[in-house]
Amino acid sequence: MPTTAITRRVPASFTRALAAQTPSTPIDVELARAQHAAYCAALAAHGLSVVTLDADDTLPDCCFVEDAAVVADGVALITRPGAPSRRGETSAVARALADLIRFVAMTPPATLDGGDCLRLDSTIYVGRSKRTNEQGIAQLRKAFEPHGLRIVPVELPAHVLHLKSVCAPLGDGRITLLDTMPRAPFGDVAAVSVPTAESYAANVLTIGKHVLVAEGFPRTAEAIAAAGLEPVPLATTEFRKADGALTCLSVLV
Ligand code: CIR
């Protein structure tokens, strides 16, 4: 079980964060900061020690720390994010991780976003996406296979940003999975199906029996409760405008 969550504050420049589509209403930075504070409070309330790094206004996406590192079995791989504008985000996360864990850093031309990696038991599923290339997957293998972890690539449709945009761990070896995604790559892993109408809610953050889930997606919350877990709805409207969700806002160690 992780004990620590690394997070990073929302920069004033968050209105310029990357987004596949221009949001119908602009990002409200103050509201994003309030939602971020509630997220950090929820992590702390569920037993994690929360480390919050300062924002960097030159890095509009810096609050999405998940993409900067992959942590498993006592090792952190500092990534080389797929979007060039995000490459400067990794140094502050690496410094924070250095106090907690051994780390290795990805080298060019590899690219990989942490949001493409889903750890389940002794497997790391990794999305082949616009952000994560073959060299990135090869360096993921090199970092984690020696620790007994199996790396399983998963093809993603072009419109899906990251693997964890469509699935996320639920603990006990289970995952959420968007109903339109093929199940085959996950073998016999048990999945709680997320309906297409609620696709954004597939990205949940599980802490023990508690599952942080985006507010406003009742069918997903009900499915999580029916799976014997406790959904904890959190407002994420401003992060959604920048294609971000719950797991994106922390690195758990
Ligand atoms: C991006 O496009 O890179 C950011 N605006 C959103 C990143 C979300 N991160 C994640 O899903 N792990």
Side-chain angles (χ1 to χ4, degrees):
M1 279 283 283
T3 58
T4 305
I6 295 172
T7 66
R8 194 167 189 183
R9 293 183 207 287
V10 175
S13 58
F14 189 50
T15 50
R16 299 197 301 275
L18 297 176
Q21 289 173 351
T22 307
S24 55
T25 56
I27 289 174
D28 177 335
V29 173
E30 285 316 310
L31 181 55
R33 286 177 171 155
Q35 293 178 348
H36 192 264
Y39 174 84
C40 292
L43 298 180
H46 293 105
L48 291 165
S49 163
V50 180
V51 174
T52 302
L53 308 178
D54 287 338
D56 181 336
D57 281 337
T58 68
L59 300 168
D61 283 290
C62 68
C63 57
F64 297 125
V65 285
E66 173 180 56
D67 294 316
V70 180
V71 175
D73 289 15
V75 178
L77 174 65
I78 305 301
T79 68
R80 185 166 177 268
S85 67
R86 300 197 56 194
R87 303 237 165 101
E89 294 173 26
T90 56
S91 51
V93 175
R95 277 195 299 277
L97 282 167
D99 293 338
L100 304 167
I101 196 169
R102 188 169 77 75
F103 73 83
V104 290
M106 197 164 256
T107 53
T111 65
L112 181 141
D113 282 6
D116 270 322
C117 294
L118 185 158
R119 163 85 186 274
L120 206 64
D121 301 325
S122 59
T123 301
I124 299 176
Y125 296 92
V126 54
R128 265 192 240 277
S129 71
K130 284 202 269 275
R131 301 291 178 86
T132 294
N133 65 17
E134 282 312 314
Q135 294 94 334
I137 294 172
Q139 291 193 25
L140 185 75
R141 269 187 213 290
K142 193 170 163 210
F144 293 108
E145 276 184 348
H147 295 268
L149 291 161
R150 185 174 69 115
I151 307 298
V152 176
V154 179
E155 303 300 327
L156 293 182
H159 66 276
V160 172
L161 177 61
H162 290 132
L163 178 63
K164 276 194 290 198
S165 308
V166 290
C167 55
L170 277 175
D172 301 332
R174 295 177 291 177
I175 58 170
T176 57
L177 185 62
L178 180 62
D179 59 6
T180 51
M181 278 293 289
R183 293 177 78 114
F186 299 100
D188 57 6
V189 168
V192 168
S193 185
V194 175
T196 306
E198 296 199 356
S199 60
Y200 175 73
N203 181 281
V204 297
L205 180 60
T206 304
I207 310 167
K209 290 280 172 213
H210 296 97
V211 181
L212 310 191
V213 56
E215 186 178 73
F217 298 90
R219 290 168 65 191
T220 305
E222 278 161 25
I224 289 166
L229 298 161
E230 197 173 315
V232 179
L234 280 182
T236 57
T237 57
E238 303 316 291
F239 300 108
R240 187 180 185 187
K241 291 174 186 175
D243 300 336
L246 289 160
T247 65
C248 320
L249 294 170
S250 56
V251 176
L252 302 188
V253 185

